[in-house]
Amino acid sequence: MPLVKMSSLLKKAREGGYAVGSFSVSNMEMVLGVLKAVEETKSPAILQIAEVRLNHSPLEIIGPLMVAAAKNCSMPVAVHFDHGKTTEKIKQALDIGFTSVMLDGSHLPFEENAKITAETKLLAQKYDADCEGEIGCVGGSEDGSEDIAINCTSPAQALEFYEKTGVDALAVAIGNAHGNYKQAPKLRFDILEETAKLVEVPLVLHGGTGILPEDFRKCIKLGINKINIATATFDSVENSVRTAYGNGTIKGYYDLQTAEVEGAYNNAMKHIEIFGCSMKG
Ligand code: 13P
């Protein structure tokens, strides 16, 4: 199965009542770990990287790797550019072959967010790629470097935003935030339910790390079809390496690499099961 568009995965997820995991990756080991889980569970998936991560993983190197890995996978995999900050980087991602992009204007006034998102949608269309937008504001920045306050989505504004932009996936803010929560968040299921009733587009839940399995399942029932997971992957890889050093499993470089792949694999396996997308690839 080749690299696919995100919208084709999310359309099926909407019809089938499940969510597709969108896993942030920053190196080859994470890509390999996620796709090992995808192959084993026969599930669809999205590989993503956010613009704030590019200092550590340059787009011109990690991007082609992500696209090649998706093309090499026997399950359908989309490659997404997450929380784009500049049109220049979004264009670069599209040139590399990403099948979906997001320009994050959620911190801007409504009209400005709608305008730049609509422009990004037109740009993505030229590449036959998809576009995600965000309305309301998910807490924190993708890499935890900024303390952004949560601003819950207004369902009526979400509809207006969708009508003005035509996005293929819409990220909502319902009390979710990026990074590790101090305690599991109290999500505004009422806002999610109302938004899903009004807006005919797959909805996206950012800030997946630390959300309780029962809350994930409830979100999926109410209309979430894409769930972003970043911090949990990084933590799982780090813990896997730490444990392997602790129990003496790492005797050389390739044992270290194996531990990294395993960390990403374990985290993806756990979320694929919760999201209900096993055997949906
Ligand atoms: P977490 O780091 O909380 O999993 O959030 C990931 C995310 O939403 C990426 O867009």
Side-chain angles (χ1 to χ4, degrees):
M1 181 75 67
L3 169 71
V4 298
K5 284 178 75 172
M6 187 172 78
S7 53
S8 70
L9 300 182
L10 299 188
K11 184 171 177 284
K12 277 196 192 163
R14 205 168 141 84
E15 288 161 4
Y18 59 91
V20 181
S22 196
F23 297 101
S24 297
V25 291
S26 68
N27 64 13
M28 184 183 74
E29 287 71 19
M30 290 187 193
V31 171
L32 293 177
V34 170
L35 295 188
K36 184 177 163 200
V38 161
E39 295 278 9
E40 231 175 85
T41 55
K42 302 200 181 319
S43 70
I46 301 162
L47 293 174
Q48 66 179 15
I49 188 161
E51 186 161 343
V52 281
R53 307 283 186 182
L54 300 180
N55 282 343
H56 295 281
S57 313
L59 188 56
E60 53 277 24
I61 297 170
I62 187 90
L65 191 155
M66 291 163 73
V67 169
K71 284 182 177 166
N72 201 44
C73 188
S74 71
M75 291 294 119
V77 177
V79 178
H80 174 69
F81 191 62
D82 193 30
H83 292 287
K85 290 165 101 70
T86 59
T87 305
E88 178 208 342
K89 281 291 166 196
I90 284 182
K91 195 168 173 313
Q92 191 183 347
L94 289 165
D95 282 332
I96 288 170
F98 281 47
T99 54
S100 171
V101 292
M102 171 192 196
L103 182 69
D104 182 358
S106 60
H107 53 289
L108 299 171
F110 176 84
E111 289 300 338
E112 235 172 293
N113 184 12
K115 180 173 175 287
I116 59 168
T117 305
E119 285 165 5
T120 307
K121 163 78 187 171
L122 285 179
L123 176 64
Q125 255 172 350
K126 287 190 186 143
Y127 290 80
D128 192 26
D130 295 317
C131 175
E132 176 179 329
E134 179 174 320
I135 187 72
C137 211
V138 172
S141 63
E142 205 273 349
D143 63 346
S145 64
E146 284 178 78
D147 190 15
I148 296 168
I150 297 172
N151 174 19
C152 281
T153 301
S154 139
Q157 258 198 353
L159 176 62
E160 193 184 343
F161 184 77
Y162 174 59
E163 286 171 349
K164 287 194 155 143
T165 60
V167 284
D168 304 286
L170 181 62
V172 289
I174 54 169
N176 45 326
H178 296 106
N180 283 309
Y181 298 95
K182 287 198 184 87
Q183 58 199 49
K186 287 197 177 5
L187 298 177
R188 291 288 306 270
F189 296 111
D190 55 329
I191 293 179
L192 173 57
E193 190 168 15
E194 211 183 319
T195 307
K197 272 188 195 145
L198 277 179
V199 191
E200 284 281 305
V201 71
L203 300 179
V204 183
L205 185 70
H206 282 243
T209 299
I211 290 181
L212 299 172
E214 59 266 33
D215 285 352
F216 273 137
R217 292 192 184 102
K218 196 163 175 189
C219 284
I220 294 165
K221 237 188 195 148
L222 293 176
I224 292 289
N225 297 122
K226 171 178 181 264
I227 301 179
N228 288 12
I229 303 287
T231 309
T233 309
F234 299 124
D235 289 352
S236 181
V237 169
E238 204 191 328
N239 287 334
S240 174
V241 170
R242 208 188 297 279
T243 304
Y245 270 119
N247 64 23
T249 316
I250 297 182
K251 301 206 163 35
Y253 171 75
Y254 286 102
D255 299 325
L256 168 63
Q257 195 199 34
T258 301
E260 281 195 55
V261 173
E262 282 301 297
Y265 163 82
N266 290 336
N267 177 64
M269 287 295 278
K270 177 179 128 188
H271 287 98
I272 284 169
E273 194 276 314
I274 298 169
F275 299 165
C277 60
S278 285
M279 306 302 291
K280 302 289 198 295

